[in-house]
Amino acid sequence: MKLARRNVVLLLALAGLIAADIGLRKDLGPERAIGSLVDGLDVRTVMRLELSKPGAESLEVQRANVDAPWSLPAAYGYPAFAQQVDSILSQVASLSTLDLVGEDTAQHDRFGVGDSGTLLVLMDERGQTIAGLVQGAVAPDGAATYVRRADQNQVYRMPSTRPWPTAMAAFLDTTLVRIPSSASVQGFRASGQALPVEVVVRRNRTSSVRPWVTPAETILSTDKVERGVLVRLNQLFHTGVIAAEPLPEDGADLLRFEIDLEGIGTEVLRFGEPRADGRIPVSKGSAPWTVAVDAAAFEPLVNGLLDLAGN
């Protein structure tokens, strides 16, 4: 009998706890659903990105289809740095509604997602907006930024992200030639007004050590060839696209550099006369653009070639 009474008491206590919990949940409001911030986003359908921020330059990046490279319309369609674009899309795809930090417009300025925020718009092949996001300030701990959907008020903490850049320089692929290693170089040829004679260097394939040699089989200094020329060429980056056409083929190149890369083929760089701003225009192969390099970065490459010209 005592056991039965105790069980009744326990049941009543449990019922009271359940009722109290239900009442508390009602006071707290409905449970918030946790999911993706951009529902159903498939980054393969994104064909265009637009980035803008008050007081800064705006940027557009686009591609013709999912297999096409990203390009920059404002730079005459020059290739964009794909890793930068893919990084932003991956961040957006991973955003969730888990870490909610604010729910009304009064908090937008506090988190930097108001008028001063960076607006990112994703569009499909028809130019229809897939999603718009506003990125705000960096969190105090430096480990996240704040973001909200452009059509919503809720603000979320976005971990492990940096502010999205809007400057074209951050998306411009400034590489002139990618040389995987000196072993991949089979030879190169350089000529033009900057050199007194044509410089021709190739590998001696008959030797086990494959030294660098001239056409007359004169063995060249490995340091002069690799550090003096190849390393400097690999470290030569352009500073921007200056024309939507290559330099004219009139034989008046300041420097013409042809490099034979194993598994890639021959890459041709043509450097023109210095511009009024001091930069050197460059065309690469049959690419329909002219870019520019700083004269201070170009000069060491010429000096390396001059060293080889004197053997």
Side-chain angles (χ1 to χ4, degrees), residues 34-46 89 92-97 122 124 129-131 133 149 152:
I34 305 299
S36 174
L37 183 57
V38 184
D39 291 331
L41 174 64
D42 182 353
V43 296
R44 295 173 299 178
T45 66
V46 178
L89 290 178
V92 172
S94 66
L95 291 177
S96 78
T97 58
L122 309 179
D124 62 19
T129 298
I130 298 173
L133 298 165
R149 285 190 56 134
Q152 297 177 2

Side-chain angles (χ1 to χ4, degrees), residues 42-262:
D42 182 353
V43 296
R44 295 173 299 178
T45 66
V46 178
M47 296 294 131
R48 186 181 182 92
L49 289 79
E50 292 185 355
L51 281 155
S52 60
K53 182 180 177 65
E57 63 180 296
S58 58
L59 179 78
E60 297 177 1
V61 187
Q62 66 181 23
R63 59 182 174 181
N65 55 66
V66 68
D67 296 316
W70 291 102
S71 63
L72 297 160
Y76 309 105
Y78 195 83
F81 189 35
Q83 186 177 347
Q84 182 76 276
V85 182
D86 293 341
S87 174
I88 291 177
L89 290 178
S90 295
Q91 290 174 21
V92 172
S94 66
L95 291 177
S96 78
T97 58
L98 174 64
D99 202 350
L100 178 67
V101 295
E103 295 190 83
D104 57 65
T105 56
Q107 296 175 302
H108 286 181
D109 288 342
R110 172 189 172 191
F111 295 110
V113 294
D115 294 337
S116 64
T118 299
L119 175 63
L120 168 65
V121 180
L122 309 179
M123 288 177 281
D124 62 19
E125 60 183 0
R126 295 169 297 178
Q128 299 295 313
T129 298
I130 298 173
L133 298 165
V134 180
Q135 186 186 46
V138 177
D141 61 5
T145 58
Y146 299 112
V147 67
R148 70 176 175 89
R149 285 190 56 134
D151 57 349
Q152 297 177 2
N153 290 328
Q154 292 86 349
V155 183
Y156 302 91
R157 177 185 166 93
M158 186 167 63
S160 304
T161 58
R162 294 175 297 175
W164 296 325
T166 61
M168 184 182 298
F171 290 84
L172 200 62
D173 188 348
T174 59
T175 304
L176 286 179
V177 177
R178 288 185 173 87
I179 303 176
S181 68
S182 60
S184 67
V185 180
Q186 303 304 299
F188 58 84
R189 178 188 301 266
S191 60
Q193 299 175 24
L195 301 175
V197 296
E198 183 179 54
V199 176
V200 181
V201 177
R202 64 175 179 82
R203 292 279 193 185
N204 184 329
R205 299 177 182 276
T206 62
S207 171
S208 59
V209 294
R210 301 179 68 205
W212 298 106
V213 298
T214 68
E217 299 299 325
T218 301
I219 296 178
L220 298 168
S221 162
T222 299
D223 187 66
K224 283 187 175 182
V225 173
E226 296 184 1
R227 294 184 60 189
V229 176
L230 297 182
V231 170
R232 290 172 178 175
L233 178 64
N234 212 28
Q235 295 176 344
L236 187 61
F237 301 95
H238 73 78
T239 58
V241 185
I242 58 175
E245 58 186 10
L247 292 171
E249 288 277 6
D250 56 9
D253 296 332
L254 180 63
L255 177 68
R256 181 184 178 93
F257 194 101
E258 302 176 22
I259 183 169
D260 185 13
L261 297 171
E262 185 175 17

